Amino acid sequence: MGTTASQLGKDLLSEYQELTFLTKQEILLAHKRFTELLSKEERSHPNPSVPIDTLLTLPELKSNPFRNRICRVFSSSESKDSLTFEDFLDLLSAFSDSATLEIKSHYAFSIFDFDEDGTLDEVDLEKLVNCLTGETDETRLTPQEMRQLIKNILEESDIDKDGTVNLSEFQHVISRSPDFVSSFKIVL
Amino acid sequence: MPSRNIDSGRQQQQLVSHLRRLPVRERVCLLRAMPLNLALKIELSSLYVHIVGTWRLLLGALAFLSSVRLWRTQLKLLAGRFGTPVLSYFLFLRMLVLLNLLLFLVNGLFLVLPRALDPLAAGDNSSLLHTHSVLHLLTGGGYVAHSVMFYGYYGNTLSGWSCGPAEHEPEANVSAPLNIAGQPVCGPQVVAPVSYNTSLSYLFTVTSGLFITSIILVYSISQYFGRRFCVFPSHGKLAGNVFCSWDFKVTKEMSVQRQSENISTQLKEQLSEGMCCERGPGFVRERRRLLRARLSAWAACLASVFLSGLAVYHLADHMHDQGVMASVEADLLGESRLLALPTVVSTITLFLPGLFHLVSRVERYDSPLVATYVSIVRNLLLKVGLLGVLCYHWLWRIPSEPERYGLQCWETFVGQELYRLVLVDFFCTLVNAFVGESLWRLFSNRVLKRRRRPTFDVSRHALELVYGQTLTWLGVFFAPLLPVVQLIKLLLLFYVKKTGLTLTCEAPRRPWRASQMTAVFTALLLCPSLLGAAACLTYTVWTVKPSSACGPFRRSPTPLEGQKLLLWQTVDTGADPKLGLFLSAS
């Protein structure tokens, strides 16, 4: 099921409204911004998709250290290099104001799982902390600090002591932090 | 990685049969909350009966109501540059704008409109008799005092007379109006208009406006609690910090870098705190020193609150003395002296919290959340103390002896005082935002030699908003259009704060629990603020004697007594109760 890039049908619009957490105006705005990213020929395709590199030019994603991971997680294509409009709506819905804690924590887990093996192990955690602290030498943690930090994180969150954080352990940690919902938001 | 597709057809069948068993609304919610591909969700939803058209309409209507689009672009830019904490302050401001708009609509429709449309405006309606000056807009005197803004303008029962076919007894005290020649305006062409009971509608409108506001506030607080939030700080939860600290709303390059720096600093601090826990003799000495510092800080703050309360009490006493009041009526210069009290109060409420902030530096609380709560409590004590002193003057001393202060209509005077307070508070905030903050920034750069800009103290600014709103709610009984003034003030304040922020400040560096703090400020708006205003209103309506020369309650011993008498009379004369309380002849 696709959509010609010129305009959304009414039925499709209401279907999107029911199945995502977005309002009608947000869906229309998303459609407009998505269409702008397409080239002229692609707009007439039935189910156009935007390559990830083009999507990353959006100002909302441009400077985000997790931008590549976000796009990969929501991509439904085989090679994970492009997003359709519905993938884009999924992305915005997960990051919207009204999305539930469960959905957000589910997708946050997927985004932080850099090696895509279903759990957060030490390598994932290290990459996560490096994304958070940035590129410069001053802000990066020293190797000892990193080891200490990862050890503390695993102590606090790894309940079954298997050396990794799985989805339910992650969601348990997140549920104790009320600000997660307000900070895990992207608005177009 | 957790898949966004369903792997097998069997799983799909199970899901569909589960969905079919649920009621419509739950089906929608469940499907929406599943972390699945949208294309797959659409496919699944086509397998069961489509949702009825009316449900879609309802969803659409609800979505429209909840999407408030005021300042959407500016808020997005602010969030992109400064992050969620600053955004939460502006969202709080927007909520106050909507609350004031609601009060304005309620008061405007049921109080101002009937009064303005009344062709027989009781009382002095000739605005030509009063002086016109721009100063009056600020002090609430002159022509403003006798306008629709204040209590005194609203007379008792409108148009209780009738010369046409009379259905009800005309009120004995109100005779038909006189024309220029001094003869009663009567005759078959004049039809008895529907009479509108101003006193009852006044009481009812003001009370219901505040009641609706309290319902809205309780609803928004309950929404925060619905998100499973825990009030108590979770100490040393590194995992939570690492997983939840990134603010995805920040989009500007510079701000992203700054955010990374802040997170890095925070993590390093937490790691070093965790690593060094030696408890030698120096530790005990250090804790004792900290305890002494904290006690002296508290003593200093409480002393300053007490002293400022005392100062305001004596100043109010002096200002309300008959001598001063008499001289005030004489000329414009005298009238501008009325601005002295509001200026002093506003200056204290704006600058003393800054002093508290400086004092709090010696205290060095372990957790930033505890430090925030301590500063909120101190600010609250100051504001509650000052407002308590002023309310004592306005609701106790003045009504008990209005002649001593030379006041014909003390309610209008109290309304004017609150009007002046609201306006002067706004001007002081303006001055502080531009001049004060720039001076502070210069001072911290040159003298204290700090490289970074001062941070935007969200809790202090949010408390200023709560204070301003308390003044409005206190004054809505005495000045029904005060919400309009507050509305305009808040609209301008948005742009002033936005510009001030962009020019001089930067985002807070310490972690700020946005949703918890917003819930705390909304709770403060409900508990000391609205409930305090409601308590003052109840006291005024229940026990205070209204002035006999003006206002809708001039003939009653207390406003509430008057309405009780009125209702009894209505029942006695056998008027049709189905007409509703707003249509009754006295």
Side-chain angles (χ1 to χ4, degrees), chain B residues 123-436:
Chain B
D124 42 4
N125 53 0
S126 48
S127 58
L128 301 166
L129 285 179
H130 307 292
T131 48
H132 284 250
S133 151
V134 179
L135 185 65
H136 289 314
L137 272 178
L138 192 56
T139 60
Y143 71 103
V144 179
H146 298 89
S147 69
V148 80
M149 172 68 90
F150 293 112
Y151 177 96
Y153 191 68
Y154 298 86
N156 209 335
T157 335
L158 288 180
S159 333
W161 62 277
S162 74
C163 293
E167 283 170 35
H168 309 286
E169 272 316 295
E171 193 188 24
N173 293 343
V174 176
S175 50
L178 309 171
N179 63 11
I180 296 189
Q183 288 149 355
V185 179
C186 273
Q189 73 275 19
V190 180
V191 177
V194 166
S195 63
Y196 183 80
N197 191 320
T198 312
S199 55
L200 189 59
S201 74
Y202 198 94
L203 197 60
F204 194 68
T205 310
V206 169
T207 328
S208 48
L210 290 182
F211 184 68
I212 297 173
T213 312
S214 65
I215 304 270
I216 294 174
L217 287 178
V218 168
Y219 177 70
S220 20
I221 296 175
S222 69
Q223 276 193 322
Y224 292 117
F225 279 104
R227 286 189 197 156
R228 282 180 282 163
F229 104 44
C230 51
V231 181
F232 303 105
S234 45
H235 284 291
K237 294 295 182 194
L238 265 179
N241 276 339
V242 167
F243 294 144
C244 309
S245 57
W246 187 261
D247 190 354
F248 283 79
K249 286 211 207 88
V250 176
T251 52
K252 257 187 98 168
E253 181 76 41
M254 282 295 299
S255 314
V256 167
Q257 271 175 22
R258 207 166 288 144
Q259 208 193 155
S260 299
E261 281 170 26
N262 291 343
I263 291 179
S264 164
T265 318
Q266 197 194 323
L267 286 175
K268 287 183 183 173
E269 266 176 29
Q270 280 191 298
L271 280 173
S272 63
E273 265 171 41
M275 285 200 286
C276 74
C277 320
E278 68 265 15
R279 290 176 156 238
F283 178 76
V284 176
R285 214 181 309 136
E286 180 66 25
R287 298 302 289 187
R288 276 209 200 117
R289 203 186 64 81
L290 268 179
L291 190 66
R292 272 199 305 267
R294 284 172 194 174
L295 281 174
S296 36
W298 267 105
C301 294
L302 289 174
S304 55
V305 167
F306 179 71
L307 285 174
S308 41
L310 209 60
V312 167
Y313 177 84
H314 285 297
L315 184 64
D317 221 1
H318 171 74
M319 288 306 302
H320 296 160
D321 243 348
Q322 194 164 21
V324 181
M325 294 302 298
S327 75
V328 152
E329 296 291 337
D331 60 342
L332 286 180
L333 185 62
E335 205 164 311
S336 55
R337 258 192 262 154
L338 282 171
L339 293 173
L341 181 63
T343 315
V344 167
V345 173
S346 299
T347 320
I348 295 178
T349 52
L350 274 178
F351 292 114
L352 217 53
L355 188 74
F356 293 163
H357 181 71
L358 283 176
V359 159
S360 72
R361 278 166 191 279
V362 302
E363 294 181 299
R364 289 193 289 139
Y365 284 104
D366 294 326
S367 134
L369 197 64
V370 173
T372 314
Y373 278 132
V374 163
S375 90
I376 288 177
V377 166
R378 285 180 187 157
N379 266 304
L380 259 187
L381 278 175
L382 173 68
K383 289 174 171 139
V384 166
L386 287 180
L387 282 180
V389 167
L390 288 172
C391 284
Y392 165 74
H393 266 284
W394 293 329
L395 299 179
W396 180 269
R397 297 189 70 178
I398 293 185
S400 47
E401 331 159 281
E403 318 78 37
R404 185 178 156 220
Y405 302 101
L407 289 172
Q408 285 280 4
C409 189
W410 65 267
E411 290 98 342
T412 304
F413 177 71
V414 174
Q416 283 171 326
E417 289 266 277
L418 280 159
Y419 173 84
R420 285 190 284 264
L421 255 181
V422 168
L423 281 182
V424 171
D425 189 54
F426 176 58
F427 287 122
C428 286
T429 314
L430 266 183
V431 166
N432 188 36
F434 290 123
V435 175

Side-chain angles (χ1 to χ4, degrees), chain B residues 79-98:
Chain B
R81 189 166 157 188
F82 296 105
T84 310
V86 169
L87 179 70
S88 66
Y89 166 78
F90 285 100
L91 287 175
F92 188 65
L93 199 153
R94 188 170 75 174
M95 181 182 74
L96 287 178
V97 165
L98 295 172

Side-chain angles (χ1 to χ4, degrees), chain A residues 153-170:
Chain A
I153 293 174
L154 286 172
E155 248 175 59
E156 284 172 18
S157 32
D158 188 13
I159 300 174
D160 56 9
K161 302 293 171 208
D162 62 353
T164 62
V165 182
N166 62 24
L167 177 60
S168 43
E169 288 163 352
F170 181 79

Side-chain angles (χ1 to χ4, degrees), chain A residues 1 11 14-21 23 25 29 33 59-60 63-66 70 73-74 76 80 86-87 89-90 95 100-103 106-107 109-110 112-113 116-118 120 125 128-129 132-134 138-141 145 148-149 152-153 156-157 170 173-188, chain B residues 1-5 28-29 31-39 41-43 45-46 48 50-52 55-56 59-60 63-64 66-67 69 72 76 84 227-230 234 236-253 256-257 259-261 263-264 267-268 270-271 275 512-517:
Chain A
M1 188 171 297
D11 275 337
S14 14
E15 194 129 35
Y16 287 154
Q17 250 183 288
E18 277 164 23
L19 295 172
T20 65
F21 290 100
T23 63
Q25 294 94 339
L29 180 61
R33 300 286 297 273
E60 289 82 6
S63 316
N64 196 316
F66 298 102
I70 293 174
V73 163
F74 286 97
S76 57
K80 304 264 177 225
E86 281 163 4
D87 294 333
L89 280 185
D90 263 335
F95 278 101
T100 57
L101 181 68
E102 285 80 18
I103 277 252
H106 184 276
Y107 282 115
F109 185 79
S110 307
F112 296 155
D113 187 11
E116 298 180 356
D117 61 356
L120 300 181
L125 290 174
L128 169 61
V129 174
L132 289 177
T133 54
E138 297 172 344
T139 52
R140 285 211 162 200
L141 298 185
E145 284 171 338
Q148 180 70 35
L149 180 60
N152 285 356
I153 293 174
E156 284 172 18
S157 32
F170 181 79
V173 171
I174 294 277
S175 67
R176 290 199 305 252
S177 173
D179 297 297
F180 175 72
V181 174
S182 52
S183 59
F184 197 78
K185 277 188 194 163
I186 293 179
V187 179
L188 269 193
Chain B
M1 156 172 112
S3 171
R4 295 208 306 141
N5 293 307
V28 170
C29 291
L31 205 52
R32 190 192 274 187
M34 281 187 186
L36 295 172
N37 236 330
L38 185 56
K41 286 187 199 177
I42 293 176
E43 204 181 299
S45 74
S46 66
Y48 58 80
H50 274 283
I51 293 165
V52 182
W55 177 241
R56 281 190 181 166
L59 273 179
F64 176 75
S66 64
S67 69
R69 297 168 61 76
R72 194 178 160 278
K76 186 186 156 189
T84 310
R227 286 189 197 156
R228 282 180 282 163
F229 104 44
C230 51
S234 45
K237 294 295 182 194
L238 265 179
N241 276 339
V242 167
F243 294 144
C244 309
S245 57
W246 187 261
D247 190 354
F248 283 79
K249 286 211 207 88
V250 176
T251 52
K252 257 187 98 168
E253 181 76 41
V256 167
Q257 271 175 22
Q259 208 193 155
S260 299
E261 281 170 26
I263 291 179
S264 164
L267 286 175
K268 287 183 183 173
Q270 280 191 298
L271 280 173
M275 285 200 286
W512 176 261
R513 297 159 169 264
S515 55
Q516 184 174 349
M517 282 294 127

Side-chain angles (χ1 to χ4, degrees), chain A residues 92-150:
Chain A
L92 291 174
S93 170
F95 278 101
S96 74
D97 269 330
S98 12
T100 57
L101 181 68
E102 285 80 18
I103 277 252
K104 285 187 191 253
S105 55
H106 184 276
Y107 282 115
F109 185 79
S110 307
I111 290 169
F112 296 155
D113 187 11
F114 286 80
D115 52 14
E116 298 180 356
D117 61 356
T119 58
L120 300 181
D121 52 17
E122 290 183 14
V123 175
D124 290 325
L125 290 174
E126 185 169 342
K127 286 198 187 144
L128 169 61
V129 174
N130 282 333
C131 276
L132 289 177
T133 54
E135 302 293 312
T136 58
D137 286 328
E138 297 172 344
T139 52
R140 285 211 162 200
L141 298 185
T142 63
Q144 301 95 311
E145 284 171 338
M146 182 66 80
R147 271 199 302 274
Q148 180 70 35
L149 180 60
I150 292 177

